[in-house]
Amino acid sequence: AMAAAGEALSRVPDVEIDGDGVFKYVLLRVRAADGPGKDVVRGHGWAEYHADIYAQTAQELAQQGLGCECLGGGRLSHRPQERKIHVYGYSVGFGRADHSVTTEKLKAKYPDYEVTWADEGY
């Protein structure tokens, strides 16, 4: 079962964000049962609240036998024409995510982008 859980974990994308715009994001720690975990970034413009992204992602992960906890949130400004992503702000419900972790994840996914972060802003 552990091997299957590990495989399920490895199939979870590190980053899933909208292709353009300014939107809320959450940083989640995804875990296989009693196993290792990894941090993932989810950001979507359809979400009115950070909790909306968390709830949908948790539901998707549960179907694969994985759990998750929210490490915090913020906002992303994604400008594909300029190849720039800026990470900032916080979630009222979940607190501020570690934007430096989010930035590293985004840099790995978008190696040709300039990815910046700041603790200012909402």
Side-chain angles (χ1 to χ4, degrees):
M2 283 301 293
E7 283 170 32
L9 187 65
S10 68
R11 281 196 298 270
V12 175
D14 281 11
V15 174
E16 282 184 354
I17 65 168
D18 287 2
D20 194 0
V22 175
F23 43 84
K24 293 181 171 147
Y25 94 88
V26 291
L27 184 64
L28 304 173
R29 180 154 294 154
V30 182
R31 279 215 175 82
D34 299 329
K38 74 171 180 177
D39 296 348
V40 304
V41 176
R42 296 291 182 269
H44 300 293
W46 54 256
E48 190 176 352
Y49 301 104
H50 289 90
D52 297 337
I53 305 174
Y54 173 64
Q56 175 162 318
T57 308
Q59 191 176 12
E60 289 171 4
L61 291 168
Q63 291 164 358
Q64 303 162 56
L66 298 169
C68 70
E69 60 177 311
C70 188
L71 303 178
R75 287 177 189 260
L76 298 178
S77 168
H78 187 183
R79 302 199 296 276
Q81 301 84 357
E82 301 168 48
R83 293 180 190 266
K84 285 184 179 176
I85 301 176
H86 185 60
V87 186
Y88 66 101
Y90 63 94
S91 160
V92 174
F94 296 119
R96 190 191 314 282
D98 185 337
H99 296 327
S100 64
V101 172
T102 302
T103 296
E104 290 310 308
K105 297 275 174 189
L106 291 168
K107 281 180 177 174
K109 164 96 178 191
Y110 299 95
D112 56 341
Y113 269 60
E114 180 189 340
V115 185
T116 56
W117 67 274
D119 274 338
E120 293 84 60
Y122 163 65

